[in-house]
Amino acid sequence: MKIRLTAIAVWLLSWLVFTVAAELSDECTTPNATIYTIHLEDNVPAELKLSASVAAGLINRHTQAPSVFNAILPPDLLWLASAKEDVTMSGCTWVALSVVELWQLAWSLGATNGTVLYDPTETWSLATVVTLCGIHSALPVAASQQPVHRTRLHQWLHTAVTAVQHYILSWLQRSPQDGSASQSKYTIPLDLGYVILDTRGMWANDLQATSWAIDHLFLKCKQTSEMVAIQVPELIKQGLLADFIVARQLFAFWLPDLCQPGTSAHGLFAKITQTAWHQQSLLTVIGYFASQEEIAACSQHHTEVALVSDWSPNLSFWSRMTPVATLHQSPALPLPPYSSNCAYVAIITSDGDSLQMNYNSMRGMMDTRAAICSSNSSVCPPVSWTISSRLATLAPFVLRWHYRQAALRWGSDSFLLGPSGYGFLHPTAIAPHDSLRQVMINMTSAAAAQLDMSSYVHWDEYDNSNTHQMTSTQYSGLHADETLLLKSDSLKVGTAAMEGYIANFQNTSIQAVFSPITPYVHRWIGKVATFRELIR
């Protein structure tokens, strides 16, 4: 009799957990789809922001849907408002949760299995802690909020009870509310489950933490030949990128000296990048390394694509939406007859290869431009916006929104790929015989065709030392051939390499390149036009 009752209880609790998970599995195509929002105000302790971000990433991974959205930065509120107004998300039910309720939701869904303890003062450990959480579906808990050590049985019982609580709330159609006191809002419950690993004191610095992670975690991570994450510890503390790292089970690290040859950090970085190169895969490094923005310069083969995204929240949410297959730009405006008496100017917003710019500052620029163009079209000249093609999968809603604004509000704007096409690196730094150079060309061409683009910004190896000594008038008046005469033989070799690379885009969607390098290359490279940057 006891066995039968136990079996029935297990079946009932399993059904409740499955039912809750099913509620979150839709992408707002039905009225039953639920999205939970958490507002992490400035006064929320940093370690709780990190835990909330990890919980959101684990839930979004578990449900395979955009289920939890953390409002961390001011632009988050703008994007949240746009999402609520969007017709594709009209079937959503939006529910606000407190941080504690978010943890309880993660447990009730079975999205988390335990906790990883860490010391917030040991900042060098944070990237490894988040990597651990992704692999083990765990929540990071600061030492000051140490939970009770529990067995797996205790954990299962706690998960089951929490699932029942959540289901009852859902059945009553009652939205959980924040606690009235700061203690209830910002204190981690002490019964969050058993401790998977206590990392406090395990490593004395970033070298030890990263070396241990390479030896024990690297092979357990996903996509190590396609994507890894480098993130400043201070930003991990705020939860930035943590949700995406755990959702994708990425390998995350922080090595301040990775670009200094002969150092231990440089050797560890080589270990991280060699897997991708041996598999002939372009490795994307998300996050940001300020000491060398072109992080490929720090590796042996220079084939790593930098995808600046250190201030890009909620990628685990946005990337669960339907990816972009193709997008179309507004038809080109009719051109007036060419006149040699006129100077023609193109206004281009650069650095659009950065996801954080697409998400943060570019959103504000788009809104400001829309207001100006709506009130006075005479002061609204066409603008070309550089934007990252990687939004097509990492934040398709954001990409579609930008295209929609440009098309619906003024129609004269256009988009092109940022540096250097598919992503930021110096293409000719890749050895000519390395097949990854052609991979970069193919990926750039495919991205341009997918998003109806005809040009990209080309950054590469170049030297402006001679031309910087000229006046701006002399500089702008130079023909490409005249400029070449001023350069050394070594630079001519570099110029030939760049022209050879650009020539590969003939008979593709790419019709032009914009770059600071173009004073040193011909105005036409086969069928591809080149344009130089005059004012930044």
Side-chain angles (χ1 to χ4, degrees):
M1 185 67 177
K2 289 183 179 180
I3 295 177
R4 290 182 179 179
L5 289 175
T6 302
I8 293 173
V10 170
W11 176 85
L12 177 60
L13 291 172
S14 301
W15 176 77
L16 291 175
V17 172
F18 175 80
T19 303
V20 173
E23 287 186 8
L24 300 176
S25 62
D26 296 318
E27 191 183 322
C28 298
T29 55
T30 70
N32 293 327
T34 302
I35 295 179
Y36 293 95
T37 60
I38 295 86
H39 293 265
L40 299 175
E41 306 90 345
D42 292 338
N43 62 335
V44 176
E47 58 268 21
L48 301 193
K49 289 183 179 180
L50 173 57
S51 189
S53 181
V54 169
L58 293 176
I59 293 172
N60 290 333
R61 184 180 85 190
H62 181 78
T63 61
Q64 300 184 39
S67 301
V68 179
F69 183 94
N70 280 343
I72 301 176
L73 303 177
D76 287 326
L77 300 178
L78 297 176
W79 289 114
L80 181 60
S82 296
K84 289 182 177 180
E85 296 170 358
D86 193 89
V87 63
T88 62
M89 308 191 75
S90 59
C92 296
T93 300
W94 302 83
V95 178
L97 292 184
S98 70
V99 177
V100 172
E101 288 166 339
L102 175 64
W103 293 318
Q104 293 172 339
L105 176 63
W107 282 105
S108 70
L109 295 174
T112 182
N113 295 321
T115 58
V116 172
L117 297 187
Y118 72 99
D119 185 340
T121 65
E122 298 173 355
T123 55
W124 54 83
S125 71
L126 293 178
T128 301
V129 167
V130 173
T131 302
L132 276 163
C133 290
I135 293 173
H136 295 286
S137 300
L139 292 176
V141 177
S144 59
Q145 300 282 354
Q146 180 178 350
V148 175
H149 289 254
R150 290 184 174 273
T151 65
R152 287 185 177 271
L153 176 60
H154 287 144
Q155 175 216 341
W156 184 87
L157 291 174
H158 175 75
T159 301
V161 171
T162 309
V164 173
Q165 292 174 342
H166 176 80
Y167 181 76
I168 292 173
L169 288 176
S170 302
W171 181 63
L172 295 174
Q173 296 183 340
R174 173 175 171 268
S175 173
Q177 300 296 320
D178 285 351
S180 57
S182 59
Q183 179 71 14
S184 61
K185 288 178 66 174
Y186 301 143
T187 300
I188 299 179
L190 297 182
D191 57 351
L192 276 180
Y194 77 104
V195 175
I196 293 174
L197 185 64
D198 186 345
T199 67
R200 293 172 298 176
M202 283 187 64
W203 315 291
N205 51 49
D206 53 84
L207 291 174
Q208 290 185 14
T210 305
S211 179
W212 184 91
I214 291 173
D215 292 340
H216 295 87
L217 305 180
F218 190 77
L219 295 179
K220 298 178 181 179
C221 293
K222 307 291 185 183
Q223 301 178 286
T224 50
S225 64
E226 301 171 19
M227 182 178 289
V228 294
I230 184 168
Q231 181 67 311
V232 180
E234 287 71 21
L235 296 184
I236 293 181
K237 270 188 175 182
Q238 301 296 320
L240 292 166
L241 269 192
D243 68 305
F244 188 66
I245 292 169
V246 300
R248 293 291 184 93
Q249 293 180 293
L250 299 179
F251 183 83
F253 65 99
W254 177 249
L255 293 168
D257 299 326
L258 69 85
C259 210
Q260 297 181 19
T263 63
S264 298
H266 190 262
L268 292 174
F269 184 59
K271 288 184 178 181
I272 294 170
T273 58
Q274 67 181 357
T275 298
W277 187 82
H278 284 301
Q279 296 184 17
Q280 283 298 280
S281 173
L282 283 176
L283 179 65
T284 295
V285 181
I286 66 167
Y288 185 54
F289 187 61
S291 299
Q292 174 53 268
E293 292 182 324
E294 191 225 345
I295 200 167
C298 306
S299 73
Q300 178 182 355
H301 302 288
H302 313 304
T303 56
E304 293 72 33
V305 175
L307 185 59
V308 179
S309 48
D310 50 334
W311 287 86
S312 302
N314 290 301
L315 287 181
S316 71
F317 176 86
W318 299 116
S319 62
R320 284 297 177 181
M321 294 186 176
T322 304
V324 169
T326 57
L327 284 176
H328 297 284
Q329 301 198 50
S330 300
L333 298 176
L335 293 175
Y338 172 78
S339 172
S340 59
N341 297 323
C342 294
Y344 295 89
V345 177
I347 303 174
I348 301 174
T349 63
S350 187
D351 292 358
D353 59 300
S354 166
L355 290 191
Q356 68 180 38
M357 291 194 67
N358 300 158
Y359 189 83
N360 297 317
S361 59
M362 191 170 165
R363 168 65 195 244
M365 293 166 66
M366 273 283 192
D367 287 337
T368 300
R369 178 160 169 78
I372 294 174
C373 294
S374 298
S375 60
N376 188 352
S377 59
S378 63
V379 293
C380 190
V383 172
S384 291
W385 305 80
T386 55
I387 197 167
S388 175
S389 65
R390 308 297 291 277
L391 291 171
T393 56
L394 298 181
F397 181 89
V398 174
L399 181 60
R400 291 187 178 102
W401 184 91
H402 282 300
Y403 265 63
R404 191 161 56 245
Q405 302 312 303
L408 297 181
R409 296 198 178 184
W410 49 87
S412 61
D413 288 13
S414 59
F415 295 96
L416 68 158
L417 294 172
S420 287
Y422 178 68
F424 181 44
L425 51 69
H426 289 175
T428 62
I430 305 175
H433 61 271
D434 193 327
S435 62
L436 286 179
R437 181 185 281 207
Q438 187 61 48
V439 171
M440 181 69 178
I441 293 168
N442 295 343
M443 298 295 277
T444 298
S445 301
Q450 176 189 19
L451 302 180
D452 195 21
M453 296 179 180
S454 59
S455 55
Y456 74 96
V457 175
H458 187 106
W459 285 7
D460 216 318
E461 305 292 319
Y462 54 89
D463 176 12
N464 285 329
S465 57
N466 287 343
T467 51
H468 278 175
Q469 299 170 7
M470 305 177 187
T471 66
S472 58
T473 302
Q474 292 171 324
Y475 178 73
S476 62
L478 283 175
H479 291 279
D481 292 339
E482 294 172 330
T483 308
L484 283 172
L485 295 176
L486 299 174
K487 312 313 294 177
S488 67
D489 289 340
S490 61
L491 188 58
K492 286 182 181 180
V493 172
T495 301
M498 288 183 281
E499 291 195 348
Y501 180 86
I502 294 171
N504 285 281
F505 291 105
Q506 298 182 85
N507 304 316
T508 71
S509 300
I510 301 297
Q511 301 176 33
V513 295
F514 295 81
S515 177
I517 67 152
T518 51
Y520 311 147
V521 298
H522 292 85
R523 291 180 175 178
W524 286 91
I525 301 174
K527 299 178 182 179
V528 181
T530 67
F531 296 86
R532 60 176 174 256
E533 178 184 272
L534 298 182
I535 300 175
R536 172 171 288 248

